[in-house]
Amino acid sequence: MNFRRTGGQDEPEINLVPFIDVLLVVVIFLAVTTTYSRFSELQIDLPSADAAKAKEKPGQISVAVTAAGGYVVERTPITFSSLRALTTELQRAASGNEDPVVVINADAKAPHQAVIRVLNAAQMAGFGRVTFAAQNEQ
């Protein structure tokens, strides 16, 4: 009598055929139940650049604010008496330009209130386009 086992334990074997059958059924199920939807597209007309046409440069009014708080409108020094007088000078400098750009050149040591007065005068004159000139530090 031989009570000893021979060869040890048998390794479990995985049969792949049923596994492949199940996966094939799942793939068919997913293909049948999938809904295909179309995405709506936006019709966008992009602008094109045309180098032949150059727009007219808008009129500019140059206003300089000195370190002492004085004003120079279009190279004409102005003594500040009131906001209304500064507004009148800006309108005079516009002289026919419908919507000029007010360019403020302020000294680095100019008081902030002097620059704010120019902004208020431009608003009172009806000029909505105001910009500041800056100098690069070297």
Side-chain angles (χ1 to χ4, degrees):
M1 288 201 212
N2 192 359
F3 291 112
R4 255 196 281 168
R5 290 190 169 179
T6 57
Q9 294 181 352
D10 291 335
E11 289 191 29
E13 187 176 314
I14 298 175
N15 193 355
L16 291 178
V17 173
F19 181 67
I20 292 172
D21 289 342
V22 169
L23 286 179
L24 185 63
V25 169
V26 169
V27 168
I28 292 171
F29 176 76
L30 289 176
V32 169
T33 59
T34 302
T35 58
Y36 298 102
S37 60
R38 295 183 64 178
F39 295 103
S40 61
E41 298 175 358
L42 295 176
Q43 183 65 28
I44 299 174
D45 295 325
L46 296 175
S48 60
D50 190 5
K53 297 178 184 175
K55 288 187 176 180
E56 233 179 75
K57 281 191 172 182
Q60 292 184 355
I61 301 173
S62 177
V63 179
V65 182
T66 64
Y71 301 100
V72 178
V73 177
E74 292 295 324
R75 298 182 180 162
T76 306
I78 299 197
T79 56
F80 180 77
S81 58
S82 69
L83 193 59
R84 177 62 62 194
L86 186 57
T87 303
T88 306
E89 285 298 321
L90 287 177
Q91 288 173 339
R92 181 195 57 76
S95 67
N97 290 335
E98 292 178 15
D99 192 19
V101 176
V102 178
V103 180
I104 300 174
N105 298 304
D107 190 281
K109 295 182 178 162
H112 293 288
Q113 185 60 42
V115 176
I116 297 299
R117 284 183 189 135
V118 176
L119 291 172
N120 287 339
Q123 181 184 18
M124 288 176 62
F127 304 143
R129 300 179 348 177
V130 178
T131 186
F132 292 92
Q135 181 179 7
N136 293 334
E137 292 185 23
Q138 296 177 359

